Amino acid sequence: MHFGNTATSRVESAHSVVKKWLNSATLTLDSIWTRVHAHIGQQHVEIRKHLENSRSTTLAVAQARLFSLLDGKVSHMAIKMMSEEFTRGTKIGMGLDIGCGCSMVSTHGLLCACQLHRLYQEDRLVNLDDVHVFWRTLRFDDVNSVPANDDVQLSEMFDEIRGSDPVRRRITTFTNNIIQLKLSNNKCNSKNNTKYDSILLI
């Protein structure tokens, strides 16, 4: 079950995206961290926007009554895909049970054309349990801080690099300051404190 996320290689796909973000082969470590962090933050905002739309608005589809129990509880994308699947079943017409293929069930965790038409003919509605939990997850928790173990590992890594090349030491110190500032900001935000406005280089 891939929920529509298909790629010949996830690693190559992710690598290609990161290269587009960086748009350069000669960036310093701090520049790379800043750009990647900014793009991930933008993705975070976009995901939140789509999830909020799914929670607060009703998607206009032809079979609105069939999906009425899903309003505000299921992703708009899932409802749209099932609506399109219903339309596909209408075009197939007679012999839908044979021509459906039912791939939507195994690949996306959603009802396929023949199942949707069966519900429609029996004047029943699509229930929440008919939709995979993936499409019912409309919230995700904020990550306010790096776990303690990860924080220790980061510090140990920076300490090791500082003892090597002077250039690497300066870049690492700068990057470490950025990360520490981010961690401090996250902790301050959780206590409604003011964010730091500058970075002091060591």
Side-chain angles (χ1 to χ4, degrees):
M1 194 173 294
H2 54 67
F3 304 109
N5 297 308
T6 57
T8 54
S9 172
R10 291 186 178 183
V11 174
E12 288 298 329
S13 178
H15 184 217
S16 176
V17 171
V18 172
K19 286 197 297 185
K20 291 179 181 178
W21 288 352
L22 300 179
N23 196 30
S24 175
T26 58
L27 293 176
T28 58
L29 181 60
D30 57 294
S31 298
I32 293 174
W33 189 91
T34 301
R35 291 194 184 188
V36 172
H37 184 269
H39 281 283
I40 292 177
Q42 183 61 35
Q43 286 185 338
H44 189 274
V45 172
E46 290 296 324
I47 292 172
R48 281 192 172 280
K49 177 182 176 182
H50 289 303
L51 294 181
E52 180 59 33
N53 286 338
S54 295
R55 288 198 304 268
S56 59
T57 62
T58 300
L59 183 65
V61 293
Q63 308 82 21
R65 183 178 179 278
L66 183 63
F67 306 113
S68 59
L69 296 180
L70 307 181
D71 288 341
K73 300 176 182 178
V74 171
S75 168
H76 281 177
M77 182 177 293
I79 297 176
K80 183 178 180 180
M81 284 191 292
M82 284 192 290
S83 176
E84 293 172 350
E85 185 74 358
F86 184 92
T87 302
R88 185 179 73 87
T90 302
K91 292 179 180 179
I92 294 176
M94 298 296 293
L96 178 59
D97 290 338
I98 300 176
C100 176
C102 302
S103 61
M104 187 66 73
V105 179
S106 58
T107 60
H108 291 74
L110 300 172
L111 297 184
C112 62
C114 64
Q115 292 174 322
L116 290 169
H117 274 267
R118 192 174 300 116
L119 290 177
Y120 182 78
Q121 292 168 1
E122 296 173 358
D123 197 27
R124 295 161 54 201
L125 306 179
V126 178
N127 290 312
L128 200 59
D129 292 337
D130 295 327
V131 180
H132 193 280
V133 67
F134 174 83
W135 304 106
R136 291 184 273 142
T137 306
L138 300 182
R139 298 178 185 274
F140 59 90
D141 296 330
D142 290 327
V143 180
N144 292 321
S145 62
V146 176
N149 291 339
D150 292 347
D151 197 4
V152 171
Q153 291 178 0
L154 277 174
S155 298
E156 291 177 350
M157 180 186 70
F158 284 128
D159 289 340
E160 181 179 349
I161 297 177
R162 284 196 193 98
S164 57
D165 182 72
V167 176
R168 289 182 180 177
R169 183 166 60 248
R170 179 171 177 77
I171 294 175
T172 304
T173 300
F174 180 72
T175 307
N176 186 31
N177 286 334
I178 295 177
I179 294 176
Q180 293 301 326
L181 176 64
K182 179 63 178 177
L183 294 176
S184 298
N185 284 342
N186 286 334
K187 292 177 182 178
C188 289
N189 287 339
S190 63
K191 299 178 182 178
N192 295 322
N193 289 335
T194 305
K195 289 184 177 181
Y196 291 106
D197 294 324
S198 61
I199 300 173
L200 298 178
L201 297 180
I202 298 175

